Amino acid sequence: MRRAWLPWAALWALLLPRVNGQEGILHASGNGIPPLTKDYCIRYNPSWVSLPNTLDDIASSSLENLTSKVFCSNSEVPSTLVIKDKAVVVMRGNCSFVDKARTAQSHGAKILLIASKSGLSSPSGNKTDVQNVTIPVALVRYNDIMDMQQALGARINVTLYSPSLPEFDYSMVVIFLIAVLTVALGGYWSGVSELEDLKTVTSPEDRETRRKKEENVTFTPLTVIIFVVICCAMLLLLYFFYKWLVYVIISVFCLASAMSLYNCLSALIRKISFGQCRISCCNKSIEVRLIFLAGFCIATAVVWAVFRNEDRWAWILQDILGVAFCLNFIKTLKMPNFKSCVILLGLLLLYDVFFVFITPFITKNGESIMVEVAAGPFGNSEKLPVVIRVPRLEYSALTICGMPFSLLGFGDIIVPGLLVAYCRRFDIQTRSSSIYYVSCTIAYAVGMVLTFVVLALMKMGQPALLYLVPCTLITSSLVAWRRKEMKKFWQGSSYQMMEHLDYTANEESTTTANEPSGEQ
């Protein structure tokens, strides 16, 4: 039953949105007293005309709404229409951005806004033609123009600017702590489960029960490969059928996260010795407190589903459910050996890099499939609940352009977390004082820091697995090599379990041989 969630989890894991650096802000103000103001997202090409970084000492321009026209030629502009020194908004389509800019500029327009109903993209055109364009040209959502008129009235003044991206957003510190603590706690919980399992291996019946249990939660190298292929297929399905599948995944996330939250909290509640009253139903005895816990977990998931688009506080519920999901996943899915870890992490790294960096050369719009699915293809407002979200503490264009949060995909926690969990279980099996677990957890933290450093330097989203996978795999390999345990570490738990069972069988045989015969 649990394995049914794995393909969905890996799909959710790797969808981390990335944003390029061509966003700006349209600052609109009405003529009321005091004047109402609103900010809207725009996309522009900084190689055409650069925008100021602040609103200081910038004169605003009166907005002329001409969304009934496309401005592809001078003949579309009535002779009675005066747009000199105004900001003009026209519809997208029928001709290039350069043609529209030339038409607006020839009639004295100060700013050209192009309204788009199909999403925002950066204006592009032949470099030679662009040299003659001297006015700012930007794309804006058509719905934002309609909202602007409803909120601010008919007489609107606008200004374009593009605040500098902050060198470092301190919300990343919160993201870092959540990620490292989740990986460390998930690995530790997996080790506790492994220790309990080893204590039960005292009879053939217990061994068979353990063997069946491991078949339900263990990835072999072959299933890892099949698993990644299924992830690729599901990502492509989401790309083409996002409008319908997004609601399927939201539903699955609600169910899976509620179950995960229950598993996490019930593990803590069972450690409490009081309040264990039970009721009997259908020949089964159930603790009353666990019934209330199940109701609480279901209610939490339902509240998030209803208010998931409420940015002020719904992110807290999503983070709680997401952390529980990651913890339960890391604890439940057991990698049998380091070989499987290398295959899984390596293939998912290639998967991430291919769909982020290679697919832009294949798609018609030049955007990567990963980014399109993460942002919602074709302007879809629903987002996949596949990330840890923390509000940005610094104001920038990203805050307006649909990215008011710092994000970390579940996969950047789950995928390295499976290796950390394997290291913890290997420590227990070899009694190695947690050296593998601690080293791999520290390597994960270093990988996260490296990701944030590159993020700050390049000013664009990064595929975190590109840094986390090498850090964790290399560190684990070096520890095993230094301790001369690479063979055991590579072959993994099956190697250790066979060694343990052989020792137990030999001990039982010796005990039997030393016992006096019961027959005279």
Side-chain angles (χ1 to χ4, degrees):
M1 182 67 179
R2 292 174 176 172
R3 286 170 60 179
W5 303 110
L6 300 184
W8 293 103
L11 173 63
W12 298 341
L14 300 169
L15 301 179
L16 177 62
R18 288 98 180 171
V19 180
N20 62 34
Q22 297 178 327
E23 286 83 8
I25 297 176
L26 187 158
H27 180 75
S29 59
N31 288 328
I33 301 177
L36 297 176
T37 63
K38 291 194 73 173
D39 290 340
Y40 298 93
C41 176
I42 60 172
R43 291 289 294 272
Y44 74 103
N45 192 328
S47 64
W48 287 19
V49 177
S50 61
L51 297 180
N53 294 329
T54 67
L55 287 172
D56 298 337
D57 301 325
I58 302 177
S60 60
S61 302
S62 176
L63 181 66
E64 185 75 28
N65 189 345
L66 298 176
T67 50
S68 60
K69 304 182 182 299
V70 292
F71 262 46
C72 287
S73 64
N74 290 326
S75 60
E76 292 188 51
V77 184
S79 58
T80 57
L81 181 64
V82 179
I83 59 174
K84 183 176 176 60
D85 294 329
K86 291 185 177 182
V88 180
V89 54
V90 301
M91 285 303 297
R92 181 179 185 176
N94 294 1
C95 59
S96 68
F97 298 130
V98 175
D99 291 336
K100 296 176 186 293
R102 283 177 172 175
T103 302
Q105 184 173 297
S106 65
H107 286 79
K110 190 175 180 179
I111 297 173
L112 175 63
L113 298 173
I114 303 174
S116 174
K117 294 183 177 180
S118 59
L120 302 183
S121 60
S122 299
S124 59
N126 185 281
K127 291 185 178 180
T128 304
D129 297 334
V130 172
Q131 291 178 354
N132 299 323
V133 177
T134 59
I135 64 173
V137 180
L139 266 75
V140 63
R141 296 184 181 92
Y142 177 78
N143 291 339
D144 287 346
I145 298 297
M146 298 296 102
D147 176 79
M148 194 184 307
Q149 290 186 323
Q150 292 178 1
L152 305 179
R155 300 178 63 185
I156 301 172
N157 295 316
V158 299
T159 304
L160 306 185
Y161 74 110
S162 180
S164 300
L165 292 177
E167 292 295 329
F168 181 78
D169 196 304
Y170 289 96
S171 61
M172 290 295 183
V173 176
V174 181
I175 290 282
F176 173 82
L177 293 176
I178 291 175
V180 174
L181 291 176
T182 302
V183 166
L185 185 57
Y188 179 81
W189 191 13
S190 180
V192 171
S193 176
E194 180 72 12
L195 186 60
E196 292 175 351
D197 288 343
L198 288 175
K199 289 179 179 179
T200 62
V201 184
T202 57
S203 67
E205 292 79 9
D206 291 332
R207 296 172 195 167
E208 182 65 17
T209 300
R210 176 183 170 84
R211 186 186 68 81
K212 291 180 178 180
K213 181 180 178 181
E214 287 213 346
E215 285 180 354
N216 292 328
V217 298
T218 302
F219 259 2
T220 65
L222 178 60
T223 54
V224 165
I225 295 173
I226 297 174
F227 175 56
V228 175
V229 171
I230 293 175
C231 289
C232 295
M234 293 180 67
L235 183 59
L236 292 175
L237 286 175
L238 269 173
Y239 182 71
F240 291 106
F241 305 104
Y242 185 92
K243 184 166 61 174
W244 300 281
L245 292 181
V246 64
Y247 296 105
V248 175
I249 291 184
I250 289 174
S251 302
V252 172
F253 173 73
C254 288
L255 183 58
S257 61
M259 293 173 59
S260 299
L261 185 61
Y262 175 82
N263 290 337
C264 293
L265 296 181
S266 63
L268 296 177
I269 288 180
R270 288 192 175 98
K271 299 294 184 181
I272 302 176
S273 58
F274 58 86
Q276 297 180 352
C277 57
R278 295 173 173 269
I279 59 173
S280 297
C281 179
C282 301
N283 298 324
K284 292 184 178 180
S285 179
I286 306 174
E287 290 188 25
V288 175
R289 59 183 182 177
L290 294 183
I291 296 177
F292 284 106
L293 177 62
F296 169 77
C297 295
I298 294 173
T300 302
V302 171
V303 170
W304 172 84
V306 173
F307 299 99
R308 62 185 179 277
N309 294 320
E310 175 57 66
D311 286 342
R312 289 175 296 178
W313 55 269
W315 63 272
I316 300 176
L317 291 183
Q318 180 169 326
D319 288 354
I320 292 173
L321 294 171
V323 168
F325 176 80
C326 293
L327 285 173
N328 189 63
F329 196 104
I330 293 172
K331 180 257 180 183
T332 301
L333 178 60
K334 296 184 178 181
M335 306 304 292
N337 48 47
F338 187 57
K339 176 183 177 181
S340 296
C341 292
V342 170
I343 295 174
L344 178 65
L345 271 66
L347 288 179
L348 289 180
L349 172 59
L350 294 176
Y351 164 91
D352 204 18
V353 170
F354 175 80
F355 282 104
V356 172
F357 296 119
I358 306 300
T359 54
F361 299 100
I362 303 173
T363 56
K364 293 182 179 180
N365 60 359
E367 295 285 349
S368 76
I369 290 178
M370 188 80 76
V371 171
E372 284 288 295
V373 171
F378 317 115
N380 197 300
S381 60
E382 288 288 356
K383 300 296 186 292
L384 294 169
V386 296
V387 293
I388 299 297
R389 303 195 302 166
V390 176
R392 294 181 182 273
L393 303 180
E394 300 287 342
Y395 186 79
S396 69
L398 293 179
T399 310
I400 301 298
C401 295
M403 291 287 291
F405 297 90
S406 294
L407 308 175
L408 184 70
F410 290 169
D412 300 327
I413 298 175
I414 292 174
V415 175
L418 294 175
L419 175 58
V420 173
Y422 170 70
C423 290
R424 176 59 181 165
R425 294 195 305 274
F426 187 80
D427 280 326
I428 291 175
Q429 294 161 1
T430 58
R431 300 180 179 87
S432 55
S433 303
S434 301
I435 182 64
Y436 288 92
Y437 168 67
V438 173
S439 299
C440 196
T441 302
I442 293 175
Y444 177 80
V446 171
M448 287 296 300
V449 172
L450 182 60
T451 303
F452 294 150
V453 169
V454 177
L455 176 66
L457 293 176
M458 298 187 65
K459 305 295 185 184
M460 62 181 295
Q462 297 295 312
L465 289 181
L466 188 61
Y467 310 98
L468 297 175
V469 169
C471 285
T472 53
L473 286 181
I474 292 174
T475 300
S476 302
S477 300
L478 288 176
V479 172
W481 173 78
R482 184 68 179 82
R483 293 174 58 87
K484 297 180 173 58
E485 295 177 336
M486 181 55 78
K487 181 179 179 181
K488 292 182 179 180
F489 192 59
W490 181 260
Q491 295 181 350
S493 59
S494 58
Y495 180 95
Q496 293 298 322
M497 278 303 301
M498 289 303 298
E499 188 178 71
H500 178 86
L501 292 178
D502 289 343
Y503 172 80
T504 304
N506 291 336
E507 187 178 39
E508 290 176 353
S509 299
T510 303
T511 303
T512 304
N514 291 334
E515 288 179 353
S517 174
E519 296 180 3
Q520 300 296 329

